[in-house]
Amino acid sequence: MTGPSGTGKSTLLHILGTLDRPTSGRFELLGENPHQLSENGQAVFRQKHIGFIFQDHQLLPQLTVLENVLIPALATGSVSAEHKARGGQLIESVGLGHRVSHLPSELSGGERARAAVARSLLLRPTLVLADEPTGNLDPANAKKIGSLLLELQKQENTLLIVVTHSMELADTMQQRLALGVTTNA
């Protein structure tokens, strides 16, 4: 999804991710409208069905790559051996196996972006929401992250919605929607 700043792209992602409530309209995922659930119900829905990739990656600075990738599992109550194995596999699949015990401050921007991609997929979400996943990257790393997102989206059989100002990234997506501002003249 593309569009000028201020057209509501990030707001739409937040609504789809149940971080914000819509003022009107309806959103369903797997036949369920998560906005009709209680706050706790929405949190469970998010945990089970939605993965997030934020523009600034939101990695916790005191945690290693593996620990950051495992954060979504904490919401399940505990990090299981299965979570750790899946986290390790995802870290390998994004090319960070050699950086698994590094802190975010020891990673490049592209590496932090890849760690965020791995984290978003840990719990096998139905829907992955990516807000400017390449916005802070140089063109070479942006292209790598875009390719990685599409590759993992196919492997994981998940829905992927990307908000971007990058027309190059937008052109690689299966569908492209543009949000705009309309004026009454």
Side-chain angles (χ1 to χ4, degrees), residues 47-48 72-73 75-76 83 86 90 119-125:
Q47 173 203 1
K48 287 183 177 181
T76 67
H83 290 132
R86 172 129 170 103
L90 287 167
R119 181 186 55 202
S120 75
L121 296 170
L122 181 71
L123 299 180
R124 302 180 195 280

Side-chain angles (χ1 to χ4, degrees), residues 90-103:
L90 287 167
I91 289 167
E92 285 292 330
S93 73
V94 300
L96 290 178
H98 65 293
R99 308 286 269 166
V100 70
S101 62
H102 286 74
L103 298 173

Side-chain angles (χ1 to χ4, degrees), residues 14 19 31 46 50 75 106 116 127 132-133 137 140-141 151 155 160:
H14 286 195
L19 298 174
R46 251 190 319 273
I50 302 173
E106 300 170 315
L127 173 63
E132 291 286 358
L137 301 176
N141 275 312
E151 179 184 324
Q155 286 176 7
L160 173 65

Side-chain angles (χ1 to χ4, degrees), residues 68-82:
N68 268 288
V69 169
L70 293 174
I71 286 174
L74 293 176
T76 67
S78 67
V79 177
S80 68
E82 181 183 328

